[in-house]
Amino acid sequence: MGFVAVAGAIISCSHQGTARLPTGNPRLQFDGKPVVTQGMEAGVSFAAGAPTVLTPCPNPAPSGPPGSSPCTATVAATAGVSTAVAVGGAGVLLLGATGPTVNAAGPATWQISDAGQAEFSVAR
């Protein structure tokens, strides 16, 4: 298994807006940081001024297509959820996990671009 996401991991929208995942489940931690389980990523904002935003979603760019709009928040992951490690029945999110964003102009996605911790492996 590769990298698991922990509180403080960086999530990026498809337009390069970035935010930190604010919380994790303290029942499992890596380097003192709680892991992020499926569902905790939903509702993370990419809007300017939101407390976890590093870079607001820049869409629409000045040269962007008419009718484009910024991503405002994340929706639950559709891929990149561990089937090997779960906490309280919820799989942990992995580096590269992805899902849709809320975007008035149409489909856009998010992805975990930095898991926030070092590689983890399980001895078998």
Side-chain angles (χ1 to χ4, degrees), residues 12-39:
S12 304
C13 76
S14 52
H15 308 108
Q16 304 309 308
T18 58
R20 289 202 184 275
L21 291 169
T23 61
N25 189 321
R27 292 174 57 193
L28 179 61
Q29 298 184 21
F30 294 98
D31 295 329
K33 298 176 185 176
V35 299
V36 178
T37 57
Q38 186 175 26

Side-chain angles (χ1 to χ4, degrees), residues 24-116:
N25 189 321
R27 292 174 57 193
L28 179 61
Q29 298 184 21
F30 294 98
D31 295 329
K33 298 176 185 176
V35 299
V36 178
T37 57
Q38 186 175 26
M40 295 180 141
E41 76 287 8
V44 174
S45 177
F46 289 111
T52 59
V53 170
L54 301 172
T55 307
C57 177
N59 200 36
S63 60
S68 59
S69 67
C71 297
T72 57
T74 59
V75 179
T78 55
V81 180
S82 176
T83 57
V85 179
V87 181
V92 299
L93 295 185
L94 304 172
L95 176 65
T98 189
T101 65
V102 176
N103 189 302
T109 59
W110 61 263
Q111 178 174 335
I112 294 179
S113 55
D114 180 341

